[in-house]
Amino acid sequence: MSIFFSRATALAVVLLPCLATAAPLSLEAALELAARRSETARAARAGLLSATEAAQAAAQLPDPVLRVGIDNLPATGPDRFHTARESMTMKRIGISQEWLSTDKRAARQAAADAAVGRERVQAQVAAAETRLQTALAYQDAFYAGETLKLAVLAEHHAREELEAARARLSSAAGSSQEVLAMAGARGVSEDDAADIRQQQNAARVALERWVGVQPDGLMPAGELPVPAEEAYVAGHATVAALQRDVDVARRAAAVTASNRKPNWTWELAYGQRTGYSDMVSMGVSIPLPVAPGERQDRDTAARLALAEKAEADLAEAIRAAGAEYRALASDAERLQQRIERYRAGVVVPAGQRTAAATAAYRSNQASLAALFEARHAELEAQRKLLALQRDLARTRIQLAFRPLTAEVAP
């Protein structure tokens, strides 16, 4: 309880300035919030705790067995069911203990430790997946907000141009067709803005699913570090999990192979007789593997086959992770080049065209429709640029957040 309280207090201290001043939410704060409230990560941590507790008992001997009984109790005749009349009747109490060799206990401990390692990686995978999905939702919500700003600006331009068209019509400088065209353009821009508002609401709801709050605004995420291919593949969630599966399968095969040598059971008993000397009995039980080739060896072969299957899955996952990295890296490079080309070849000329159309309109050398078309073309170019930037951000997020890092340690 104290650990939870201290963590909650620390988180409150971090977020209190932002909440007090209604500052925009940063990506780092969103990731911290998502990590704190993730039920998937909590379930994975519970699984790790379970495996850790189970590993504490893996190398221990089985519990001893208490044995109590009566030997040679008369069942017929005048002394039947009497424990003190027949000299052969003996009350017996004893204890037995199954013995595991040091090698067997070491093999079981290694298997339990491998299971703990697998659960630890599963906890890291759950935390990494939470961070990845939170970052993707954050970027979607951020770019939806930026797109909405452009749509609102387009709506504002359409209203201004409609008012200008009406003024031109009242002064006989314009035409009714121009007014109708501007009215239709305003309707389209208002509908477009309403649609983007709905998309932004959906993106904010998706982000709230992870962080638990509705932020007033979002800050740009900034540049994300992109790992090298080797680090990406080594830290890939699937690869890391399958590596632990291979370890668990190998350890389980070693435990099964150790069962070819049976466990001995030692027993010590004390017998009490009436009128005669008491007895002490000692013995050992040794299982006889009469067909190890058809039983124990087949069990071991089955475990080894599972280990081989896990190794093959791991090899395939490594190939897939490498191909995934190269595809994402190629996409990121291509999108970066497209952004640079589009900004220089489309966005900048569109802005220059708007400036020229504005100057021409003010000097009565261009129509209002030409000005509206130039403004609309510039905003559409900026919206497409935002879409490219969003795609690039999502690609870089996948490169940065898919591998397991120190930030997702349980």
Side-chain angles (χ1 to χ4, degrees):
M1 182 64 182
S2 60
I3 296 177
F4 174 80
F5 179 77
S6 62
R7 289 180 176 177
T9 303
L11 181 61
V13 170
V14 171
L15 295 180
L16 185 58
C18 295
L19 296 176
T21 59
L25 183 68
S26 67
L27 177 59
E28 291 75 14
L31 295 175
E32 183 69 19
L33 284 171
R36 297 287 182 182
R37 70 188 304 272
S38 172
E39 294 298 325
T40 303
R42 186 167 72 94
R45 290 193 296 268
L48 173 59
L49 178 61
S50 174
T52 303
E53 293 295 333
Q56 300 298 320
Q60 298 182 15
L61 291 173
D63 290 334
V65 179
L66 178 66
R67 302 181 183 276
V68 179
I70 299 178
D71 296 334
N72 302 321
L73 181 67
T76 60
D79 296 335
R80 64 179 181 175
F81 305 130
H82 285 279
T83 61
R85 295 182 181 180
E86 172 58 50
S87 61
M88 294 183 64
T89 301
M90 182 173 62
K91 302 171 186 176
R92 174 176 48 81
I93 183 170
I95 191 169
S96 64
Q97 174 67 62
E98 182 182 6
W99 182 259
L100 275 69
S101 67
T102 304
D103 293 341
K104 280 191 174 183
R105 281 184 282 172
R108 294 188 179 188
Q109 184 63 61
D113 292 341
V116 172
R118 178 173 61 184
E119 291 298 328
R120 181 174 289 108
V121 168
Q122 291 296 336
Q124 293 176 334
V125 169
E129 182 66 17
T130 297
R131 287 170 57 85
L132 172 62
Q133 296 302 326
T134 302
L136 290 174
Y138 184 95
Q139 290 288 31
D140 287 344
F142 173 77
Y143 280 101
E146 295 299 304
T147 305
L148 179 60
K149 292 178 183 178
L150 294 178
V152 170
L153 182 58
E155 184 180 10
H156 177 69
H157 286 170
R159 289 175 179 172
E160 282 185 342
E161 286 150 2
L162 176 59
E163 293 301 323
R166 287 173 175 170
R168 285 165 58 86
L169 178 62
S170 62
S171 64
S175 65
S176 59
Q177 292 182 352
E178 186 179 56
V179 173
L180 293 174
M182 292 299 102
R186 187 190 67 172
V188 170
S189 63
E190 289 177 347
D191 180 71
D192 190 30
D195 181 50
I196 295 176
R197 283 191 182 91
Q198 180 60 35
Q199 295 177 20
Q200 186 199 33
N201 288 336
R204 290 169 70 89
V205 168
L207 177 61
E208 185 182 8
R209 173 255 185 272
W210 295 104
V211 302
V213 296
Q214 272 278 11
D216 294 330
L218 300 176
M219 297 174 60
E223 194 73 19
L224 295 174
V226 176
E229 180 177 354
E230 183 178 355
Y232 181 90
V233 172
H236 195 278
T238 304
V239 172
L242 287 175
Q243 284 176 336
R244 293 300 181 179
D245 287 345
V246 170
D247 192 22
V248 169
R250 288 173 178 169
R251 300 300 182 183
V255 171
T256 305
S258 69
N259 291 334
R260 202 175 195 280
K261 296 180 180 180
N263 301 329
W264 293 19
T265 301
W266 304 92
E267 183 176 359
L268 176 65
Y270 182 87
Q272 184 186 53
R273 298 192 299 171
T274 302
Y276 294 89
S277 299
D278 295 342
M279 301 288 186
V280 175
S281 301
M282 293 174 290
V284 60
S285 300
I286 305 175
L288 300 177
V290 295
E294 297 298 325
R295 191 170 302 167
Q296 287 84 359
D297 290 351
R298 289 190 179 274
D299 290 342
T300 301
R303 291 291 185 177
L304 290 173
L306 290 178
E308 184 178 0
K309 176 181 179 297
E311 290 172 354
D313 290 340
L314 173 60
E316 187 63 31
I318 291 174
R319 294 177 185 175
E324 181 180 86
Y325 176 87
R326 290 189 293 273
L328 289 172
S330 176
D331 287 345
E333 183 179 2
R334 175 182 55 83
L335 287 168
Q336 183 63 48
Q337 293 173 354
R338 286 187 63 191
I339 288 171
E340 294 173 358
R341 272 198 316 268
Y342 194 81
R343 181 183 287 113
V346 178
V347 176
V348 173
Q352 295 171 346
R353 177 189 173 188
T354 301
T358 302
Y361 175 75
R362 288 174 179 173
S363 61
N364 292 324
Q365 295 178 358
S367 66
L368 184 61
L371 175 60
F372 171 77
E373 183 181 353
R375 284 180 168 182
H376 181 72
E378 181 184 6
L379 291 177
E380 286 299 315
Q382 292 176 351
R383 285 178 61 173
K384 185 173 180 180
L385 179 64
L386 275 179
L388 291 173
Q389 291 172 337
R390 181 199 60 196
D391 292 343
L392 176 60
R394 289 179 62 88
T395 302
R396 286 179 172 170
I397 281 174
Q398 295 181 69
L399 285 169
F401 287 93
R402 281 197 186 281
L404 305 184
T405 59
E407 287 80 3
V408 299

